[in-house]
Structures are given as C-alpha cells and as structure tokens.
C-alpha cells in the first residue's frame, strides 16, 4: 500500500495514488489500480462508522450508486473502522452493491492529502443542527447524542478508532479512467454544519457526466 502523504487535498488534475485496502463488502483486497483503464471511480474517504455523519455519507453514496453506475462510474466507501467490526455493521445495515473498504491506519486519507487536526481545534467547534440536536454541541457530545439516538452501540474497536482518528478530515474524489482526479469535495472545519455536510448531489452528478465521456 502507498503510505506517502501530501500536504493538501488532491485537486482536479492531480494523479490519484494507488492504495490497497481490505475489502469489507467481500473477501480480499481492493486496489485503486483495479479501476484504472476500466471505469471512473468515486472514492469516499470517511472516518470510522462510529461517526454518525460518516454513516450518513456512506448511505448517501449507496443511494447515488445506481445513478452513478448508469454513467459508468463505480463507487468505493473507505472507513477507518477495523474490517471485522465494519463487516458486522454492514451485515445489519446492508448497502447493496456498494464497495466498501477498511483503512484503520488512515493511509488512504494521508495519500489523498486529508489532514488530521488537533483535538483542541475539534473541541472548539460547536455544531448546530436544529431538529436533531437540542442545542449547539461540541463534536464529542454530538457524536454521543446521535449515536444514542440512532442506536449505534460503541464497541472496543470503535473506541480505538475514536481515540486515534477523531481529528481526521474526510473527503470525496472523482477519478477518471486514467487515474486523474477530476472533482473533489473536502471537509471544512468551522462552526455550524459545514464540518459534516455532504457534497451537493447535482454537482456530483454533473461532474460524473463529464468524467463518463
């Protein structure tokens, strides 16, 4: 696996790295080079499944997959959750046909330039989600509240992922058949919702149409 890192998120025109990860949705490995010359790829690099919004991002990717497949674009969701824990989650929360891979070491995030930030920075943020949170909360309190609300039970594997990667930023990258990034969406750390918002589906589908040609 490539474990090199870059100092900024990869931008359109950059060559995507090859990373090799443990598959969650099937046995064996998944390598980004497997898609080169075959199909464009949307890769989502998320925190562990202990993160409520990362679970939502994975679900959103699964919902968009049929429309993306019509354009010839494959999807791969990468989570920082250890593979056995992730397989257990998907057994009870299936995402049909969505390729998923485990990267607890966050090598793929580093290779795509998604940085980690200190917990002091993370804890300074207050998240305001009217209708979901009773009041603005810090990130850890929000995670605890939403996990309890959604019935997600934190395991020892989740605790290890939380301890090692709470300040990991996330992003999504659309890569063409030649392995070149053509579109990206990366997380911004700031108060409010932007820290956890997902890409605009219409913007993503427009980019997919361009890559598919």
């Amino acid at each position: 696996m490539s474990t090199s890192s870059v100092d900024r998120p990869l931008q359109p025109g950059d060559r995507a790295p090859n990373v090799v990860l443990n598959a969650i949705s099937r046995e064996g490995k998944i390598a980004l080079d497997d898609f080169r010359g075959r199909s464009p790829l949307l890769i989502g690099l998320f925190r562990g499944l202990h993160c409520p919004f990362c679970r939502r991002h994975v679900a959103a990717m699964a919902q968009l997959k049929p429309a993306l497949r019509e354009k010839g674009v494959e999807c791969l969701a990468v989570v920082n959750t250890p593979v056995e824990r992730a397989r257990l989650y998907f057994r009870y929360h299936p995402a049909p046909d969505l390729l998923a891979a485990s990267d607890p070491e966050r090598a793929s995030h580093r290779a795509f330039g998604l940085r980690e930030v200190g917990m002091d920075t993370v804890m300074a943020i207050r998240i305001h989600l009217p209708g979901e949170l009773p009041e603005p909360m810090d990130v850890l309190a929000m995670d605890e509240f939403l996990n309890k609300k959604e019935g997600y039970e934190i395991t020892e594997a989740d605790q290890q992922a939380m301890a090692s990667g709470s300040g990991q930023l996330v992003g999504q990258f659309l890569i063409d058949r030649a392995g070149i990034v053509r579109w990206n969406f990366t997380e911004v750390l700031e108060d409010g919702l932007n820290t956890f918002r997902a890409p605009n589906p219409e913007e993503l589908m427009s980019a997919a149409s361009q890559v598919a040609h």
Side-chain angles (χ1 to χ4, degrees):
M1 182 194 314
S2 170
T3 56
S4 61
S5 60
V6 291
D7 59 6
R8 59 163 179 77
L10 295 187
Q11 301 297 311
D14 289 337
R15 176 166 293 279
N18 181 43
V19 291
V20 182
L21 304 167
N22 287 317
I24 295 168
S25 44
R26 58 174 171 77
E27 295 296 325
K29 303 283 187 179
I30 297 175
L32 294 199
D33 275 357
D34 294 342
F35 299 91
R36 289 184 183 160
R38 181 166 67 85
S39 68
L41 173 70
L42 174 66
I43 181 171
L45 302 171
F46 307 120
R47 285 178 288 273
L49 293 167
H50 61 273
C51 166
F53 283 92
C54 293
R55 297 196 298 270
R56 296 179 190 192
H57 292 332
V58 170
M61 181 177 281
Q63 287 181 334
L64 281 175
K65 182 175 172 59
L68 288 166
R69 176 174 279 176
E70 285 185 8
K71 297 181 182 298
V73 178
E74 294 292 336
C75 296
L76 173 63
V78 179
V79 294
N80 300 152
T81 304
V83 64
E84 292 303 327
R85 168 58 172 152
R87 286 175 178 166
L88 179 64
Y89 174 82
F90 282 111
R91 190 176 306 154
Y92 291 100
H93 302 84
D97 298 327
L98 179 66
L99 277 177
S102 167
D103 184 11
E105 301 300 322
R106 304 186 301 284
S108 56
H109 294 66
R110 291 192 296 274
F112 276 83
L114 294 171
R115 64 192 177 94
E116 296 176 57
V117 296
M119 282 305 297
D120 54 342
T121 301
V122 173
M123 292 302 291
I125 296 170
R126 291 295 178 271
I127 308 300
H128 183 48
L129 297 179
E132 290 205 72
L133 301 179
E135 61 187 5
M137 293 182 173
D138 66 52
V139 172
L140 295 184
M142 180 201 68
D143 282 353
E144 183 178 359
F145 181 88
L146 289 179
N147 282 334
K148 185 175 181 180
K149 180 180 178 180
E150 296 172 6
Y152 186 88
E153 190 171 330
I154 297 294
T155 66
E156 183 177 349
D158 290 319
Q159 290 174 339
Q160 291 174 353
M162 292 166 71
S164 63
S166 296
Q168 175 66 62
L169 298 184
V170 306
Q172 299 186 38
F173 300 83
L174 185 60
I175 305 166
D176 68 15
R177 289 181 182 84
I180 304 300
V181 174
R182 295 301 177 191
W183 172 91
N184 74 343
F185 176 91
T186 54
E187 189 170 51
V188 176
L189 271 185
E190 58 185 45
D191 284 345
L193 181 58
N194 282 343
T195 298
F196 298 103
R197 70 185 178 93
N200 181 301
E202 292 180 2
E203 179 187 333
L204 172 54
M205 293 306 298
S206 175
S209 296
Q210 301 279 336
V211 169
H213 291 311

